[in-house]
Amino acid sequence: MKNTVRTVTIAIDTNEIKREVYAESACIALMTQESERPEIITDDNRKLMRVYIGEALVEFASRFCAFIDGSLLNLDSEDEILQIPMLIPESTRLSLQMIRRLIEKIISSAVLAMCYETNSELSQTITERRNSSIARLLVALIGI
């Protein structure tokens, strides 16, 4: 039986990504001893956030290129809503909302890891979390 695909556009709100990064950053700071506490990422860093979100999107698109319609993907968009044209197998049981949420998690974790790359232990923990989300999305899309 042939597995057919459907093309859907997943809309990723960059403001939601930033809110998640800011919240995670504040949580990390609260849970870290004062002498080792990293700086809290805030909206003062929004220009850097935009650059890192763009880099995370490129990384996501390259990892999931088999499931993205590259001819429709605009990596240079300055819009707050990123449109990701996904090729979703009909056999995928995960809802589009759940797929969107996993993509947001992957992108926000990548941004956090970039922000904290000078703290190798913290960056590694965040990267492991991102890799877990990547694995879950792959399983859902491949249908293992």
Side-chain angles (χ1 to χ4, degrees):
M1 181 164 91
K2 186 178 177 188
N3 191 10
T4 58
V5 297
R6 58 191 162 121
T7 302
V8 298
T9 300
I10 305 288
I12 304 296
D13 185 347
T14 59
N15 288 319
E16 185 61 34
I17 300 290
K18 287 186 258 185
R19 279 191 292 275
E20 191 165 321
V21 168
Y22 301 156
E24 285 281 339
S25 172
C27 185
I28 288 167
L30 287 172
M31 301 306 237
T32 305
Q33 293 180 1
E34 193 171 337
S35 62
E36 299 172 9
R37 187 170 291 158
E39 182 178 335
I40 296 175
I41 302 164
T42 66
D43 202 43
D44 291 342
N45 308 105
R46 67 184 161 273
K47 287 183 181 177
L48 180 62
M49 287 293 97
R50 187 66 192 158
V51 170
Y52 282 172
I53 289 170
E55 288 183 27
L57 179 61
V58 169
E59 183 180 322
F60 173 81
S62 66
R63 284 183 184 260
F64 286 88
C65 62
F67 300 100
I68 294 177
D69 185 344
S71 68
L72 299 175
L73 181 63
N74 181 2
L75 294 174
D76 297 324
S77 174
E78 293 293 323
D79 294 341
E80 303 227 347
I81 305 294
L82 303 172
Q83 305 288 335
I84 303 177
M86 300 279 303
L87 304 169
I88 308 290
E90 290 289 341
S91 61
T92 300
R93 293 182 163 198
L94 216 53
S95 70
L96 294 180
Q97 181 181 16
M98 189 64 185
I99 290 171
R100 177 188 52 79
R101 192 65 194 112
L102 279 169
I103 294 170
E104 288 172 347
K105 279 290 203 197
I106 292 166
I107 292 173
S108 66
S109 293
V111 169
L112 269 170
M114 286 183 242
C115 289
Y116 290 123
E117 66 188 354
T118 58
N119 182 331
S120 60
E121 186 177 327
L122 180 55
S123 183
Q124 179 63 33
T125 299
I126 295 166
T127 298
E128 288 170 7
R129 189 183 317 158
R130 182 199 67 200
N131 290 343
S132 175
S133 295
I134 288 170
R136 287 194 307 271
L137 183 56
L138 278 173
V139 166
L141 294 174
I142 293 172
I144 296 174

